[in-house]
Amino acid sequence: MATTGSSRRYRIDVPLLHEVHDRWRRRNRLAWLVGGGGFVLAVVSVVSGKELAGLFLGMAAAGLALGVANALIDNVGVRQTRSGELVLTRAHQAAVDAIAHAGATAD
């Protein structure tokens, strides 16, 4: 659901290529593995008295950065113009062309 700065809600379904979805899932899993693993290892190192917690917290931060980068690269965004139109951002050019073609044939 998109609710960009308004009280109106919109449902927007955007098709994704299988390879894009698979890439997103792989990167998402990697981010969780690196981030979660780093956090767990940091806790274990503190409990066991080892001085590696900083290294493992850095690993957890790297996992967070991977997750944010994945969201910025592979997610489609929506923004609303001043005139109230919704605009897709970060959409693949083939999807943009298909949506424009569908809109032109619907008129």
Side-chain angles (χ1 to χ4, degrees), residues 4-21:
T4 54
S6 74
S7 59
R8 297 187 326 200
R9 302 185 113 204
Y10 305 93
R11 179 178 171 91
I12 303 170
D13 295 324
V14 180
L16 292 175
L17 297 172
H18 288 288
E19 51 268 12
V20 172
H21 184 259

Side-chain angles (χ1 to χ4, degrees), residues 39-101:
F39 181 75
V40 168
L41 289 172
V43 170
V44 168
S45 70
V46 167
V47 170
S48 67
K50 306 276 191 225
E51 297 198 12
L52 296 173
L55 174 71
F56 293 133
L57 285 177
M59 186 174 152
L64 177 64
L66 280 170
V68 170
N70 185 36
L72 290 174
I73 293 169
D74 288 324
N75 284 353
V76 175
V78 177
R79 67 176 177 83
Q80 190 172 16
T81 65
R82 291 180 191 242
S83 63
E85 295 176 332
L86 296 177
V87 178
L88 290 176
T89 61
R90 297 183 308 270
H92 190 275
Q93 189 59 43
V96 172
D97 294 342
I99 292 168
H101 178 70

Side-chain angles (χ1 to χ4, degrees), residues 26-38 63-64 66-67:
R26 276 192 315 273
R27 289 179 180 170
N28 193 43
R29 287 179 184 153
L30 178 63
W32 276 104
L33 181 67
V34 171
L64 177 64
L66 280 170

